Amino acid sequence: MRRPLLYLDVDGPLNPYAAKPERRPEGYTTHRMAPEGWLARHPAWERHRLQPLRVWLNPEHGLRLRELSELYDLVWATTWCADANTLIAPVLGLPELPFVDWPGMFDEGPEGTFWKTRHVLAHAAGRPFAWVDDELRDADRAYVADHHPASALLHRIDARHGLRTPDFTTLRAFAHALSGSPDPDPTA
């Protein structure tokens, strides 16, 4: 049996962008980044005025995600695309990961779903998966349940806080439930 996939969004789960802007969350470090995809969304004449994005990252997330990579195949599911490998992964100590190469971004999804949902399903190609994102809703869960033949966990992350210990516990439990093996450390 192939291992499940773990789809990772950057903004929200790893970068709690909705936290109070004047107060960096505990455990996070501040980085200034200008991802190519973000630059491409601005006309060339406007780029000279763009300030790099403020990104908060928690190095502990890298450790926790490397631990989860024993249970999952990690995949970026973010608008950062390849930039996640060049800008985010080194800060977190992650290896280069595959990423969902979106055929289109920010268009309306079917049946009221988030624009990423149908593309994540296409990428998963019937494999079980977990997905952490701050934009997931009940419509996405219903769509996946109706259109995906394998188990899936769509886990919404609060963009004010990012990934927390209970989120990692949920992801471990889901992977262990899929494999039929008990989680040796359910509090991890």
Side-chain angles (χ1 to χ4, degrees):
M1 180 176 133
R2 293 175 69 187
R3 294 173 353 140
L5 299 161
L6 174 54
Y7 289 106
L8 301 167
D9 184 27
V10 170
D11 294 318
L14 297 175
N15 171 29
Y17 67 89
K20 292 182 179 182
E22 67 281 354
R23 185 164 183 185
R24 181 178 63 212
E26 187 176 334
Y28 286 80
T29 56
T30 302
H31 306 270
R32 298 288 176 187
M33 300 178 176
E36 288 299 321
W38 174 71
L39 292 171
R41 289 194 300 259
H42 295 85
W45 59 268
E46 189 179 74
R47 286 191 196 165
H48 72 281
R49 296 187 315 193
L50 289 177
Q51 297 293 319
L53 298 172
R54 182 212 67 218
V55 179
W56 285 326
L57 296 172
N58 185 336
E60 183 183 324
H61 286 162
L63 172 65
R64 304 295 296 271
L65 290 169
R66 287 191 306 277
E67 290 171 355
L68 285 176
S69 72
E70 296 173 11
L71 303 169
Y72 290 96
D73 292 334
L74 305 182
V75 179
W76 294 117
T78 175
T79 58
W80 289 68
C81 297
D83 287 332
N85 282 321
T86 58
L87 299 172
I88 304 298
V91 174
L92 298 179
L94 293 175
E96 185 170 316
L97 301 175
F99 61 91
V100 178
D101 193 10
W102 311 110
M105 289 191 205
F106 309 113
D107 52 342
E108 190 170 325
E111 301 176 34
T113 59
F114 181 35
W115 69 265
K116 290 182 182 178
T117 303
R118 69 178 177 270
H119 305 304
V120 166
L121 286 186
H123 187 275
R127 284 177 69 179
F129 70 86
W131 177 17
V132 292
D133 202 299
D134 61 307
E135 299 283 341
L136 298 169
R137 301 178 307 270
D138 289 339
D140 302 293
R141 289 179 190 84
Y143 186 83
V144 169
D146 290 344
H147 295 89
H148 189 66
S151 296
L153 170 68
L154 279 66
H155 191 66
R156 187 174 192 277
I157 303 299
D158 187 328
R160 294 171 299 167
H161 304 291
L163 284 163
R164 296 171 141 183
T165 297
D167 302 310
F168 287 103
T169 301
T170 297
L171 293 167
R172 286 180 60 85
F174 179 73
H176 281 287
L178 288 174
S179 70
S181 66
D183 187 345
D185 187 1
T187 61

